[in-house]
Amino acid sequence: MRTGPVLLVVAHGSRDPRHAATVHALVRRVRSLRPGLRVETGFLDFTLPSVQGVLESLAAEGVRDVVALPLLLTRAFHAKADIPAVLRDAPPQLRIRQAEVLGPSPLLLRALDRRLYEAGLTPADQSSTGVVLASAGSTDPEAIAVIAAIAREWRHTGWCAVRPAFASASLPRTEDAVRELRELGCARVAVAPYVLAPGRLPDRIARGAADADVLAEVLGPAPEVARLLLDRYDAARVPALAAVGA
């Protein structure tokens, strides 16, 4: 039985087919965690279906309540401007709430740990391993500050050191952060991509990790990420349901 508003996962989109494949894998995991929830996926650019197309299809079916969840790790331009603009153009019969972006969250730190352990590290390696928290980068100062804060928080969980790095728009680059951790004296250096899906910028992160000892996979359909999507959906759907009953 389907219950609650439809969850519309709003992804950025990419010309790289690995991006959409990873987004769809994540959405499948979300569906498996909550079988009674209808979950749809729309893309802002490059990939179909578009967000607007999904919204129009939902309206044509008679759907009335939607929670639009930005598949983003920080509140940068897409969350503040692009997505609200698309949602404003949705069919008027739809009641839409925009959920919060995914980050920051302790669940994402657990997903980062998971990816590093899958890449060969163990909890016993933490105290001697420096980690580069490598994100896509942004021109938004708020987004950059969030990444720096996450790096500080993650350092307190036991890693030798954690340094933020960016694939574009901001400095330092991944290779610079790797070099800094070497100079700091960390016995090994690992790079943890703080990105959700493969693409041009994650590939740039991988190239910058050439001198690191360990390169983790992107967060992708990690169980913690799927759980976080549902947490953000639940937080957004409560006001939506209250509005329905008003």
Side-chain angles (χ1 to χ4, degrees), residues 38-238:
R38 180 173 177 179
V39 188
E40 300 291 342
T41 309
F43 296 88
L44 292 172
D45 290 302
F46 306 119
T47 311
L48 294 176
S50 67
V51 176
Q52 186 67 26
V54 174
L55 291 171
E56 291 173 357
S57 295
L58 291 173
E61 290 179 30
V63 170
R64 291 296 175 264
D65 293 295
V66 177
V67 170
L69 195 159
L71 197 61
L72 300 169
L73 295 174
T74 60
R75 271 185 50 78
F77 182 79
H78 292 301
K80 295 176 179 178
D82 285 352
I83 294 176
V86 172
L87 298 182
R88 282 194 297 270
D89 289 336
Q93 61 266 45
L94 291 176
R95 291 182 291 254
I96 305 174
R97 292 193 64 86
Q98 182 176 329
E100 290 296 326
V101 297
L102 299 181
S105 167
L107 284 169
L108 291 174
L109 293 183
R110 294 178 205 167
L112 287 165
D113 284 338
R114 172 188 292 275
R115 292 301 190 227
L116 286 173
Y117 298 151
E118 290 171 349
L121 295 176
T122 70
D125 296 321
Q126 279 192 309
S127 62
S128 57
T129 301
V131 180
V132 178
L133 179 69
S135 73
S138 174
T139 57
D140 189 314
E142 178 186 350
I144 297 304
V146 166
I147 298 300
I150 292 169
R152 290 192 297 270
E153 180 180 357
W154 200 19
R155 161 69 181 83
H156 293 314
T157 66
W159 296 103
C160 172
V162 179
R163 295 290 185 271
F166 307 95
S168 68
S170 306
L171 295 174
R173 295 286 185 256
T174 302
E175 53 269 32
D176 299 326
V178 169
R179 189 179 310 110
E180 180 184 350
L181 290 170
R182 291 279 187 216
E183 294 171 353
L184 192 63
C186 298
R188 68 184 63 79
V189 175
V191 174
Y194 190 63
V195 293
L196 288 165
R200 178 176 58 88
L201 294 180
D203 285 349
R204 187 178 295 173
I205 289 171
R207 291 193 295 272
D211 291 332
D213 302 295
V214 173
L215 171 63
E217 292 293 330
V218 299
L219 295 171
E224 297 83 0
V225 179
R227 284 179 50 203
L228 181 55
L229 263 70
L230 290 173
D231 286 351
R232 294 290 189 253
Y233 168 80
D234 288 336
R237 72 187 288 264
V238 173

Side-chain angles (χ1 to χ4, degrees), residues 13-47:
S14 171
R15 293 186 178 89
D16 189 324
R18 297 173 298 167
H19 176 91
T22 302
V23 170
H24 290 312
L26 173 58
V27 168
R28 286 195 297 272
R29 187 178 286 274
V30 172
R31 290 184 181 127
S32 73
L33 291 176
R34 193 170 297 181
L37 173 63
R38 180 173 177 179
V39 188
E40 300 291 342
T41 309
F43 296 88
L44 292 172
D45 290 302
F46 306 119
T47 311

